Amino acid sequence: MFRTAVEHAKKHPGLIPQFFFICLGMGGASLYLMRLARGPHVTWNKTSNPEPWNKLDPTYQYKFVAITTDYKNLKKDGPEF
């Protein structure tokens, strides 16, 4: 499949940017899915740590981008489990 793409790119050089941006988008989507799979709200092994979100610090930044929330000054409101 890779060989076919290279042959097409040699015959039609206008396809090279398209191949580049498709690969860039697929790579970015894969990295984002890996980031989501390793997040604090995902449990892969329920026997060793059934509730991993309870062990996080209240200053942990959950969101990818938080514009108005300052996580450094947050205090824990709930009880300790």
Side-chain angles (χ1 to χ4, degrees):
M1 185 168 158
F2 182 72
R3 178 186 250 171
T4 307
V6 171
E7 290 174 3
H8 283 296
K10 286 180 182 177
K11 290 179 185 177
H12 307 285
L15 293 176
I16 294 173
Q18 185 177 5
F19 287 145
F20 173 75
F21 285 111
I22 287 174
C23 292
L24 184 69
M26 289 171 54
S30 300
L31 289 173
Y32 185 67
L33 284 174
M34 285 192 303
R35 181 187 178 276
L36 287 177
R38 292 178 35 213
H41 54 279
V42 178
T43 303
W44 292 100
N45 186 3
K46 291 185 180 184
T47 57
S48 66
N49 193 5
E51 295 178 345
W53 49 87
N54 285 334
K55 294 185 178 182
L56 293 175
D57 191 38
T59 61
Y60 180 80
Q61 183 174 349
Y62 293 95
K63 294 185 177 183
F64 188 65
V65 176
I67 297 172
T68 58
T69 306
D70 186 17
Y71 284 95
K72 294 178 184 175
N73 298 328
L74 289 179
K75 297 177 183 174
K76 186 169 184 176
D77 294 331
E80 295 288 334
F81 289 107

